[in-house]
Amino acid sequence: MYKNILVPVVFDKDHETQASYAVARALADKDAKFTVAHVIEDIPDYVTSSIPRDVLASTRREAEASLAQAAKDLSGAAPKMISGHAGRSIVDYANDNDIDCIVLASHRPGFSDLFLGSTAARVVRHAKCAVHVIR
C-alpha cells in the first residue's frame, strides 16, 4: 500500500472529493501520510492590476478556509495550497515531496478536453508515481 498520498481537490460539484478520500483511505498503508492540496491558477498581471487587492486577498482567504475544511474531512490530512498551472503543479509537488500515490477526482471529459487536455490526463501522463483517477 501507499505511504504518502496526495489528494488534489477542487471546490465545485463536478468532482467527487469524498470518493477520492474513500479511495485514498483504502489504498493507504497503516501509517500513511495524506496531503489535501488545492491549486490556485496564476492570474496574469494585466488582469490582477484591475482587481482590487482586498478582493484578491479575500478570495485567497476563502480558498484557504475551504481547503482547511476539506482537509478535516480526511482524518489526519495536511492542507497544502499550491500556485500555478493545475496539472503541472500537482506533478511537481508530487515529485518534490516523495508522493507515492495521487488520488484525483475527474469530471466527465467533454469536447474541449480533446484539444486542451484535462488536469487528470496531464497528471496521469506525467506523474512518476501511481495515479488513481476517480469519476
Side-chain angles (χ1 to χ4, degrees):
M1 293 304 199
Y2 301 104
K3 297 180 188 300
N4 195 2
I5 301 175
L6 175 64
V7 185
V9 295
V10 178
F11 308 124
D12 65 17
K13 294 179 181 171
D14 291 336
H15 295 82
E16 291 293 329
T17 302
Q18 292 303 318
S20 295
Y21 292 168
V23 169
R25 282 187 210 100
L27 295 171
D29 191 43
K30 179 173 73 166
D31 299 321
K33 174 183 165 189
F34 297 101
T35 303
V36 175
H38 178 71
V39 179
I40 293 183
E41 296 271 344
D42 290 329
I43 303 171
D45 290 339
Y46 68 88
V47 175
T48 58
S49 66
S50 62
I51 300 173
R53 288 183 195 259
D54 60 324
V55 171
L56 292 172
S58 173
T59 302
R60 183 165 183 99
R61 281 192 305 275
E62 288 174 16
E64 288 171 345
S66 295
L67 178 60
Q69 182 57 49
K72 286 180 185 176
D73 292 342
L74 180 59
S75 181
K80 178 65 180 172
M81 187 72 69
I82 305 169
S83 295
H85 178 273
R88 188 172 30 243
S89 296
I90 291 167
V91 170
D92 290 346
Y93 182 86
N95 292 339
D96 294 344
N97 292 277
D98 298 319
I99 299 295
D100 57 0
C101 180
I102 301 169
V103 178
L104 182 67
S106 178
H107 65 284
R108 298 268 180 217
F111 187 68
S112 65
D113 293 314
L114 294 175
F115 298 107
L116 300 175
S118 68
T119 298
R122 180 181 263 291
V123 171
V124 167
R125 282 193 307 269
H126 298 286
K128 294 178 183 175
C129 62
V131 179
H132 293 267
V133 179
I134 309 303
R135 294 186 119 185

